[in-house]
């Protein structure tokens, strides 16, 4: 039968809605289950802003929830969840307590206050509007809902960040349905399935995606050192051992074009076993019967390997769309106060929806496993100033092998993050992936 991609709105038992303030650069997304969905959550980032996530712990009483809200506005945006509660209460949806229905609404918010207007955040009214849109079927990915003000690549703050958005991905085999809705607002960069950066930290000139990992390695001590070049020649920077020792001769550096071999090997003593296994240099053993043709053959092979490495470096540049920095004097020195790692402009939020049969404990375990999907697509991920959270909601209808289902769901989570980068459009002075990649 096989799985085919479907629109996430086609998954039965859920209503999806967005509401946003485009000029303010913020919004919220609601995923509603009127009948109640078995749910779990796993929060990995160090700076979460959440509502009612404790009730999802496996040992706690409530077994089903009515809505997950993903919003912007940081902790201020949690107010939108109250609007969702009010709307659902008016609909008669919720956990029965005496004569009342209490809608069970969980939520997580991301930080988007540095785009648009930080004084306008998702509120009760916006939460109500998201519900109205959910019942009217108004939902789309891209710069909508919780993804309205989302961005990525913020090691140097917002100046060199890129626009991201709300991503979705879903599939079905005609029986099982599973999909993810993800607001991608990461400190790090987004990578596609081929491990190429598609959104993240821009170059100083903002003309290509530089990426965060190599830059961050130069700041491991927290000091404002030089910005890393994009691709370094490992021979030039002494990162590859290029020395060869022939018997007792002086060490020869193959990366030094001005150094030549002394090929008068007939007077050399054979090397000892200890010399042959020296781990500090690459040792080539020679006996007195070695002639110059063998040395020439070794030199030829070394040149071939070096040429292959240089070609690989050039191919890497072409694939990633980056330039090679040749002159260290061109490296950019970044003052500590200009680094962006001390400001909380982050948090990626997601909700996986499905009809797979899961217990509450399994839903929590699945939410934990799904962070692997984040880790595949976002690097670095789960930082101290990220509030990364993944919710799981299921209508509990289709028997599944849990481990097999978790593997499938993790792929879907990864693809929803990628979609969050590719669906974005330029906004608030931030370039989106499509603007950079299409050049």
């Amino acid at each position: 039968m096989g799985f085919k991609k479907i629109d996430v709105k086609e998954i039965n038992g859920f209503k999806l809605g967005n509401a946003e303030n485009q000029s303010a650069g913020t919004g919220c997304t609601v995923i509603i289950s009127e009948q109640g969905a078995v749910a779990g959550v796993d929060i990995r980032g160090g700076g979460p802003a959440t509502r009612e996530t404790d009730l999802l712990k496996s040992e706690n009483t409530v077994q089903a929830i009515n809505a997950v809200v993903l919003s912007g506005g940081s902790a201020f945006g949690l107010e939108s969840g109250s609007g969702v509660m009010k709307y659902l209460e008016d609909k008669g949806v919720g956990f029965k307590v005496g004569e009342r229905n209490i809608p069970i609404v969980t939520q997580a918010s991301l930080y988007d206050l540095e785009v648009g207007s930080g004084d306008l955040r998702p509120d009760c009214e916006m939460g109500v509007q998201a519900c109205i849109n959910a019942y009217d079927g108004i939902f789309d990915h891209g710069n909508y809902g919780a993804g309205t003000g989302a961005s990525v690549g913020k090691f140097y703050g917002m100046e060199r960040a890129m626009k991201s958005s709300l991503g979705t991905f879903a599939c079905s085999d005609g029986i099982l349905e599973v999909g993810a809705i993800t607001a991608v607002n990461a400190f790090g960069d987004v990578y596609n399935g081929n491990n190429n950066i598609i959104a993240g930290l821009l170059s100083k000139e903002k003309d290509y995606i530089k990426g965060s990992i190599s830059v961050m390695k130069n700041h491991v001590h927290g000091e404002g050192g030089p910005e890393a070049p994009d691709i370094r020649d490992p021979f030039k920077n002494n990162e590859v051992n290029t020395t060869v020792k022939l018997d007792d001769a002086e060490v020869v550096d193959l990366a030094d074009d001005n150094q030549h071999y002394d090929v008068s090997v007939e007077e050399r003593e054979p090397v000892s076993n200890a010399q042959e296994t020296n781990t500090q240099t690459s040792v080539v053993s020679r006996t007195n019967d070695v002639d110059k043709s063998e040395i020439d053959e070794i030199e030829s092979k070394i040149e071939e390997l070096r040429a292959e490495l240089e070609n690989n470096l050039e191919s890497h540049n072409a694939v990633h769309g980056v330039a090679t920095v040749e002159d260290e004097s061109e490296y950019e020195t970044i003052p500590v106060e200009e680094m962006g790692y001390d400001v909380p402009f982050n948090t990626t939020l997601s909700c996986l929806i499905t009809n797979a049969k899961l217990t509450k404990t399994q839903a929590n375990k699945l939410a934990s496993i799904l962070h692997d999907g984040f880790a595949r697509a976002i690097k670095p991920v789960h930082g101290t100033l990220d509030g990364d959270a993944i919710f799981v909601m299921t209508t509990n209808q289709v028997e599944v092998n849990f481990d097999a289902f978790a593997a499938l769901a993790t792929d879907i989570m990864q693809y929803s993050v990628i979609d969050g980068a590719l669906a974005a459009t330029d906004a608030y002075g931030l370039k989106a992936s499509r603007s950079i990649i299409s050049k």
Side-chain angles (χ1 to χ4, degrees):
M1 186 178 297
F3 284 91
K4 294 183 180 179
K5 183 180 178 182
I6 61 172
D7 190 317
V8 70
K9 291 188 294 185
E10 296 177 32
I11 297 179
N12 292 310
F14 298 96
K15 298 181 185 300
L16 313 180
N18 287 324
E20 58 277 321
N21 184 326
Q22 291 288 354
S23 61
T26 194
C28 67
T29 297
V30 63
I31 301 102
I32 297 172
S33 172
E34 288 185 304
Q35 301 305 313
V38 173
V41 67
D42 189 272
I43 301 168
R44 294 290 177 90
T50 57
R51 170 192 181 119
E52 294 277 52
T53 52
D54 276 355
L55 62 79
L56 294 179
K57 290 180 179 179
S58 300
E59 69 271 20
N60 286 343
T61 303
V62 172
Q63 295 298 306
I65 67 172
N66 302 112
V68 166
V69 182
L70 312 177
S71 78
S74 189
F76 297 109
L78 294 174
E79 183 183 346
S80 60
S82 296
V84 175
M85 281 197 72
K86 174 177 172 50
Y87 185 89
L88 293 179
E89 181 188 19
D90 292 343
K91 284 274 190 181
V93 173
F95 183 73
K96 192 75 171 175
V97 180
E99 297 300 316
R100 294 184 179 277
N101 287 320
I102 301 178
I104 307 300
V105 177
T106 62
Q107 182 176 2
S109 297
L110 56 81
Y111 189 103
D112 57 6
L113 302 180
E114 302 304 313
V115 301
S117 173
D119 294 330
L120 297 174
R121 305 107 179 201
D123 54 15
C124 284
E125 183 179 350
M126 188 179 286
V128 169
Q129 187 60 54
C131 291
I132 293 172
N133 291 342
Y135 277 84
D136 289 343
I138 300 173
F139 176 84
D140 203 355
H141 65 167
N143 293 13
Y144 302 101
T148 303
S151 55
V152 294
K154 287 164 277 192
F155 184 77
Y156 293 137
M158 299 303 292
E159 179 63 25
R160 287 161 62 177
M162 285 183 66
K163 187 73 182 73
S164 52
S165 71
L166 188 73
T168 64
F169 193 89
C171 69
S172 173
D173 62 357
I175 302 172
L176 180 66
E177 299 171 336
V178 57
I181 303 99
T182 305
V184 183
N185 190 56
F187 175 83
D189 312 317
V190 178
Y191 288 69
N192 67 9
N194 294 321
N195 204 33
N196 295 328
I197 301 177
I198 55 175
L201 179 68
L202 288 172
S203 66
K204 187 167 58 173
E205 295 77 18
K206 302 183 182 180
D207 54 351
Y208 64 90
I209 305 170
K210 183 181 185 72
S212 302
I213 297 295
S214 63
V215 172
M216 291 179 71
K217 288 177 181 176
N218 279 5
H219 298 282
V220 70
H221 295 291
E223 300 176 352
E227 179 171 349
D230 298 295
I231 297 296
R232 293 193 294 173
D233 182 346
F235 284 97
K236 177 179 176 181
N237 291 278
N238 298 319
E239 294 173 358
V240 173
N241 181 18
T242 60
T243 59
V244 173
K245 182 178 179 183
L246 302 177
D247 291 338
D248 295 329
E250 64 183 51
V251 174
V252 176
D253 186 356
L254 301 176
D256 186 350
D257 295 333
N258 296 317
Q259 190 170 6
H260 300 284
Y261 291 106
D262 176 7
V263 296
S264 56
V265 298
E266 62 278 3
E267 298 179 358
R268 300 180 191 157
E269 294 294 327
V271 296
S272 67
N273 290 337
Q275 288 174 309
E276 289 185 33
T277 58
N278 188 331
T279 59
Q280 302 302 312
T281 57
S282 299
V283 179
V284 179
S285 299
R286 292 288 158 197
T287 56
N288 290 343
D289 60 351
V290 176
D291 58 26
K292 185 175 181 302
S293 64
E294 292 187 39
I295 297 176
D296 289 341
E297 183 180 354
I298 292 173
E299 290 178 334
S300 176
K301 289 181 178 179
I302 290 170
E303 288 303 315
E304 290 178 6
L305 290 172
R306 178 168 182 166
E308 181 179 354
L309 176 59
E310 290 174 349
N311 288 334
N312 288 341
L313 290 173
E314 291 176 3
S315 297
H316 187 284
N317 285 351
V319 168
H320 291 275
V322 297
T324 302
V325 179
E326 298 291 348
D327 184 357
E328 291 191 10
S329 66
E330 298 178 7
Y331 296 177
E332 175 187 6
T333 299
I334 305 297
V336 173
E337 60 270 17
E338 293 184 15
M339 297 182 197
Y341 60 72
D342 59 348
V343 286
F345 296 170
N346 317 301
T347 295
T348 297
L349 307 174
S350 187
C351 182
L352 185 100
I353 57 176
T354 182
N355 61 356
K357 277 192 176 181
L358 301 172
T359 65
K360 190 178 179 184
T361 299
Q362 286 177 319
N364 278 300
K365 181 59 178 176
L366 178 62
S368 174
I369 293 171
L370 291 176
H371 278 280
D372 288 353
F374 274 15
R376 292 176 194 170
I378 302 171
K379 302 175 187 179
V381 70
H382 303 148
T384 57
L385 294 171
D386 288 301
D388 301 330
I390 296 178
F391 295 88
V392 169
M393 298 177 74
T394 179
T395 55
N396 243 12
Q397 297 172 319
V398 178
E399 293 282 356
V400 294
N401 174 297
F402 179 81
D403 290 318
F405 176 70
L408 169 66
T410 302
D411 281 350
I412 288 171
M413 184 59 62
Q414 176 188 4
Y415 301 153
S416 71
V417 173
I418 294 169
D419 184 64
L422 297 179
T425 54
D426 295 2
Y428 317 111
L430 301 176
K431 292 184 178 181
S433 179
R434 62 180 69 187
S435 297
I436 300 293
I437 294 176
S438 63
K439 286 185 176 181

